[in-house]
């Protein structure tokens, strides 16, 4: 195990308290407290019987390899909508709405599944692996997904979620540096984002409680496997107080990576631990092999084929230049934004998220950034992992407790404390940006803490029981409601713009395929060498 030492990192708020920082920011210009966010929202294409579509990615949606806004994740049927980065929640949601409306015009009778957990999957091979064309980079993405299949199974890879990308204005970094008597250089910014990440991991149990929406799943998902779930009806399994089974051992918190420790105390320690995992060969993967005859089974035999294989609730990110590897970009240029990965799709919302959740996410993440953030010691790292594991399975239990520095603490009392600490920040943000959106979002979350029946996970179970629906029947009903909401035609100019984007992406994929000058074997060897 690598050391927990922060490699020279100094916490962002080492000598300045949270209250002092807020006080200093009261006099800062309005632009200082501007946030930027982008959303990546996944959703399975399904048929009317809730089963995953076997139809290839439709050409009017463009190339999944090169389209900037509509792509696929693991499965050919797992759509992923990517918004541009915007400083307005309304603009992000409007873009997401347009992307859904355009897509629905080309889906025929298919629906976009609104829940994080899939519907009926009779067999593993019913989950088609995404195709990205014949180019080397397209084949690389496809083979990587084959590796995920052999390592973790296909079913796990078709779970859908919502990724929330967040950054703050340069003016805020300048203001924070001035408060601390430092320079607002890239090292300071990277340290600041890791300060945010450490506090995020301490408090992410709160997001799982507030926004978890997967307390139940279809029986077919765990067919033939041992599990702790109880029978809800003939077709559904659940846990009575679960919040997000997607984030449990049944979903993306996969046991294959249990022995992998990644240090979030600073950029050097983070990239170093991931790089070590990308070099560590695993006997079971060696036994599988990389290639037999002309068929690739995985990219390599290492614990992680590439850095994206590490399943984490949050990641530091940097936009890479063409041909540049993500960890290389982070090491050489520093952190540009953070990606939150623990959010379920809310099946009651046509876009999986709404404005109040966006405003709370901004409030929560800026609170994590501005609060004191000491390094994570080994004991606290274990507490963080245990708290996350337990809240997804039992977080709405009235007697549920978390571990806080070795002391059992009721979830409600800790949640109240954290949300109360956000009040002054919410008032400051509303004052700077105008309106009451942050205080309103905070009030809504306080209601969920006081009454767990208001949480999405509780509402899912309530709806199923009240209407006597299985999980798949419930999600299908919601999918049809959302389809009706998205079916309205785009204005001709907007539809034409999106069709042009799709056509350009197809042409770009074709150009990439024509320009390839080496075999895939050589391309892969070169890629892994650089990685």
């Amino acid at each position: 195990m690598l050391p927990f030492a922060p490699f020279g990192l100094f916490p962002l708020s080492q000598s300045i308290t949270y209250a002092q920082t807020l006080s200093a920011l009261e006099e800062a210009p309005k632009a200082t407290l501007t946030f930027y966010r982008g959303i990546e929202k996944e959703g399975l294409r399904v048929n009317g019987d809730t089963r995953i579509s076997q139809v290839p990615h439709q050409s009017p949606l463009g190339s999944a390899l090169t389209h900037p806004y509509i792509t696929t994740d693991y499965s050919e049927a797992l759509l992923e909508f990517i918004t541009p980065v915007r400083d307005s929640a309304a603009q992000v949601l409007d873009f997401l709405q347009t992307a859904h409306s355009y897509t629905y015009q080309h889906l025929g009778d298919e629906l976009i599944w609104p829940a994080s957990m899939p519907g009926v999957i009779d067999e593993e091979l019913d989950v088609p692996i995404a195709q990205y064309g014949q180019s080397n980079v397209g084949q690389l993405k496809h083979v990587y997904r084959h590796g995920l299949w052999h390592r973790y199974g296909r079913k796990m890879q078709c779970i859908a979620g919502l990724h929330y990308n967040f950054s703050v204005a340069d003016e805020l970094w300048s203001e924070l540096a001035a408060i601390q008597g430092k320079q607002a250089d890239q090292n300071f910014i990277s340290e600041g984002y890791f300060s945010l990440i450490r506090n995020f991991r301490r408090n992410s149990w709160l997001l799982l409680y507030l926004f978890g929406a997967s307390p139940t799943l279809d029986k077919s998902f765990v067919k033939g496997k041992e599990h702790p779930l109880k029978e809800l009806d003939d077709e559904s399994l659940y846990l009575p107080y679960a919040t997000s089974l997607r984030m449990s051992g049944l979903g993306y918190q996969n046991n294959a990576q249990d022995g992998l420790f990644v240090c979030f105390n600073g950029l050097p320690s983070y990239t170093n631990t991931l790089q070590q995992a990308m070099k560590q060969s695993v006997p079971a993967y060696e036994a599988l092999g990389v290639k037999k005859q002309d068929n690739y089974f995985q990219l390599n035999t290492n614990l992680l084929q590439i850095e994206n294989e590490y399943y984490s609730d949050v990641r530091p990110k940097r936009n890479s230049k063409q041909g540049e590897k993500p960890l290389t970009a982070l090491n050489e240029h520093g952190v540009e934004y953070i990606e939150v990965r623990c959010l379920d799709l809310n099946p009651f919302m046509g876009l999986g998220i709404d404005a109040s959740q966006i405003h709370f996410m901004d409030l929560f993440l800026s609170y994590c950034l501005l609060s004191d953030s000491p390094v994570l010691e080994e004991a606290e790292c274990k507490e963080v992992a245990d708290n996350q594991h337990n809240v997804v399975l039992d977080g709405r239990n009235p007697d549920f407790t978390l571990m806080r520095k070795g002391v059992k603490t009721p979830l409600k009392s800790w949640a109240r404390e954290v949300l109360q600490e956000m009040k002054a920040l919410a008032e400051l943000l509303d004052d700077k940006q105008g309106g009451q959106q942050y205080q309103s979002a905070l009030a809504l979350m306080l209601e969920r803490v006081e009454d767990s029946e208001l949480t999405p996970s509780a509402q899912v179970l309530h709806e199923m029981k009240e209407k006597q629906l299985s999980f798949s029947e419930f999600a299908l009903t919601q999918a049809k409601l959302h389809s009706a909401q998205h079916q309205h035609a785009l204005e001709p100019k907007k539809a034409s713009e999106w069709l042009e984007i799709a056509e350009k992406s197809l042409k770009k994929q074709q150009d990439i395929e024509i320009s390839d000058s080496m075999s895939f074997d050589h391309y892969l060897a070169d890629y892994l060498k650089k990685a």
Side-chain angles (χ1 to χ4, degrees), residues 379-398:
E380 189 177 11
C381 276
K382 186 179 185 308
E383 279 190 353
V384 164
D386 289 344
N387 286 341
Q388 291 172 346
H389 171 76
N390 293 330
V391 77
V392 300
L393 300 177
D394 201 37
R396 286 182 290 106
N397 189 324

Side-chain angles (χ1 to χ4, degrees), residues 191-203:
E191 290 172 2
Y193 278 123
F194 269 94
S195 177
L196 185 165
I197 288 171
R198 291 194 300 276
N199 277 336
F200 177 93
R201 291 184 63 78
R202 289 182 172 103
N203 298 307

Side-chain angles (χ1 to χ4, degrees), residues 288-297 520-521:
L288 173 65
V290 172
K291 180 183 179 184
K292 292 179 182 177
Q293 296 179 343
D294 293 328
N295 297 318
Y296 275 93
F297 294 102
F520 180 67
D521 288 349

Side-chain angles (χ1 to χ4, degrees), residues 492-507:
K493 182 180 178 182
K494 182 66 68 175
S496 178
E497 288 174 356
W498 277 77
L499 186 59
E500 184 178 353
I501 293 171
E503 290 171 346
K504 285 183 177 179
S505 73
L506 291 168
K507 176 64 165 58

Side-chain angles (χ1 to χ4, degrees), residues 155-166:
K155 289 183 181 180
M156 192 189 90
Q157 304 302 323
C158 66
I159 296 171
L162 188 143
H163 298 170
Y164 194 87
N165 300 315
F166 175 84

